[in-house]
């Protein structure tokens, strides 16, 4: 009876650690789940988290991809690190019903204010619906412009840090905005906007840095927000309807630069299409021009 010769099975060494590391890096750039949600990391579009490279083009490439997806929820992800951005305009409409910009790092502007003066904004979302912008910190580096304004009269107005224009169903949640050249948050010609859990601060030496400005908009809610400023905490422009403000702390920068409270100019406040009632508790500020209803400030 003959015995069959069995060939030995030889196992060649495999660099498992290298393979797993490469797989990890790939998955961190682009993640896709099977529950109808997709996440796109700005690093895979060329963004550099070094605080020195202009990432505007990389962010717009990522936004273009995100905006073209029809998943139920699509996320543009900004990881930890410092990302420099010049004036950046994110335009819609997007195909998804829910577009999320999740920031785990810091977005920073250049200290060269001449880069932003012509645009009048730093970050702007226009003609978008179903946007959630949340997390991280926005640092507009406005101190160089404030110093120039204190010495000169021929200065640019400056840029508004974050603008939502012609937008609908917007959520601005849980992020910090500091050192804006002009207004920190602007809600313009938009509807159904929720501002919640923000931390907004400007130095006492800042000029006309209203922290939140609302105009020509309806259905805006501002809540659970801490504001520290030398100017207006919240300013309300003309054409504003159905505005709700609650649990907002308006803090003092210094004894020489007290906070200004809430300012309103030519505002008509309505609720469900009818004139609203005016009620103020633990609030103060100023009102000018036509006010409907009569101001309680």
């Amino acid at each position: 009876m003959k015995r069959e010769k069995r060939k030995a099975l030889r196992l060649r060494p495999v660099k498992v650690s290298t393979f797993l590391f490469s797989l990890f890096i790939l998955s961190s750039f682009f993640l896709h789940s099977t529950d109808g949600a997709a996440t796109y990391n700005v690093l895979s579009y060329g963004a550099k988290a070094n605080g020195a490279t202009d990432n505007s083009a990389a962010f717009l490439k990522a936004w273009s991809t995100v905006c073209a997806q029809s998943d139920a929820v699509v996320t543009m992800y900004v990881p930890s690190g410092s990302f420099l951005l010049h004036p950046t305009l994110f335009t819609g409409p997007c195909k998804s019903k829910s577009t999320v910009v999740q920031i785990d790092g810091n977005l920073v502007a250049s200290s060269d204010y001449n880069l932003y003066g012509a645009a009048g904004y730093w970050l702007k979302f226009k003609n978008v619906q179903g946007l959630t912008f949340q997390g991280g910190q926005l640092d507009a580096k406005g101190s160089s412009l404030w110093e120039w304004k204190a010495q000169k009269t021929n200065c640019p107005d400056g840029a508004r840090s974050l603008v939502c224009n012609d937008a609908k169903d917007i959520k601005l949640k849980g992020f910090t905005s500091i050192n804006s050249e002009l207004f920190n948050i602007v809600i313009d010609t938009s509807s159904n906007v929720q501002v919640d859990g923000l931390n907004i601060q400007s130095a006492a030496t800042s000029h006309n840095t209203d922290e939140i400005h609302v105009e020509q908009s309806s259905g805006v809610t501002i809540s659970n927000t801490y504001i520290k400023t030398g100017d207006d905490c919240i300013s309300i422009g003309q054409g504003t309807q159905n505005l709700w403000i609650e649990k907002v702390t308006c803090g003092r920068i210094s004894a020489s630069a007290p906070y200004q409270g809430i300012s309103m100019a030519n505002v008509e406040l309505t609720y469900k299409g009818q004139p609203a009632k005016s009620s103020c508790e633990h609030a103060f500020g100023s009102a000018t021009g036509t006010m409907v209803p009569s101001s309680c400030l």
Side-chain angles (χ1 to χ4, degrees):
M1 186 174 180
K2 296 183 179 180
R3 294 182 180 180
E4 293 182 359
K5 294 183 179 181
R6 296 181 180 181
K7 295 182 179 179
L9 179 60
R10 296 180 180 179
L11 298 178
R12 295 182 179 180
V14 178
K15 295 182 179 180
V16 177
S17 59
T18 302
F19 171 74
L20 291 178
F21 179 74
S22 300
L23 182 61
F24 172 76
I25 294 296
L26 178 62
S27 63
S28 68
F29 279 176
F30 171 75
L31 305 175
H32 189 281
S33 62
T34 58
D35 60 357
T39 300
Y40 298 84
N41 192 321
V42 296
L43 294 178
S44 62
Y45 295 86
K48 305 295 182 183
N50 56 20
T53 303
D54 176 23
N55 291 293
S56 303
F59 272 54
L60 287 177
K61 287 180 181 179
W63 173 260
S64 179
T65 299
V66 166
C67 205
Q69 307 306 309
S70 57
D71 299 70
V73 180
V74 186
T75 299
M76 174 175 155
Y77 178 61
V78 182
S80 60
S82 183
F83 297 85
L84 174 67
L85 291 171
H86 289 175
T88 309
L89 175 61
F90 302 92
T91 59
C94 296
K95 292 184 177 181
S96 176
K97 292 182 179 180
S98 179
T99 304
V100 179
V101 177
Q102 175 65 49
I103 302 172
D104 286 350
N106 299 323
L107 306 186
V108 298
S110 169
S111 58
D112 183 1
Y113 52 79
N114 290 310
L115 294 173
Y116 305 91
Y121 62 82
W122 177 26
L123 307 174
K124 184 175 182 178
F125 291 89
K126 182 177 177 60
N127 192 27
V128 296
Q129 182 174 357
L131 170 71
T132 297
F133 186 97
Q134 62 187 16
Q137 176 175 277
L138 313 182
D139 186 353
K141 303 290 185 181
S143 59
S144 59
L145 180 59
W146 307 336
E147 294 172 1
W148 186 256
K149 283 184 174 181
Q151 302 175 20
K152 306 289 183 179
T153 56
N154 186 20
C155 301
D157 291 334
R160 300 162 293 174
S161 289
L162 178 62
V163 179
C164 292
N165 175 248
D166 193 23
K168 184 178 180 181
D169 302 331
I170 305 299
K171 295 179 181 179
L172 307 178
K173 301 169 53 181
F175 64 85
T176 297
S177 178
I178 62 175
N179 300 325
S180 180
E181 289 185 355
L182 204 59
F183 299 169
N184 275 269
I185 310 294
V186 175
I187 301 168
D188 177 25
T189 321
S190 299
S191 62
N192 192 20
V193 180
Q194 297 179 31
V195 179
D196 184 71
L198 303 193
N199 181 2
I200 309 175
Q201 300 188 38
S202 295
T205 54
S206 61
H207 295 265
N208 197 25
T209 53
D210 294 6
E211 306 311 293
I212 301 176
H213 180 75
V214 184
E215 64 177 35
Q216 298 292 343
S217 298
S218 63
V220 178
T221 299
I222 304 171
S223 60
N224 304 308
T225 291
Y226 176 77
I227 300 173
K228 192 174 182 181
T229 177
D231 210 299
D232 297 331
C233 289
I234 300 174
S235 58
I236 306 168
Q238 62 182 356
T240 300
Q241 298 182 336
N242 297 341
L243 173 67
W244 185 272
I245 302 172
E246 68 175 2
K247 298 181 180 179
V248 172
T249 301
C250 188
R252 175 192 290 261
I253 289 293
S254 67
S256 61
Y259 57 88
Q260 303 298 314
I262 298 173
S263 65
M264 296 189 290
N266 299 316
V267 175
E268 179 181 352
L269 297 177
T270 63
Y271 180 71
K272 293 184 178 180
Q274 300 297 322
K277 293 181 179 180
S278 179
S279 175
C280 298
E281 296 182 8
H282 307 294
F284 75 92
S286 61
T288 59
T290 302
M291 296 298 304
V292 179
S294 299
S295 172
C296 61
L297 294 175

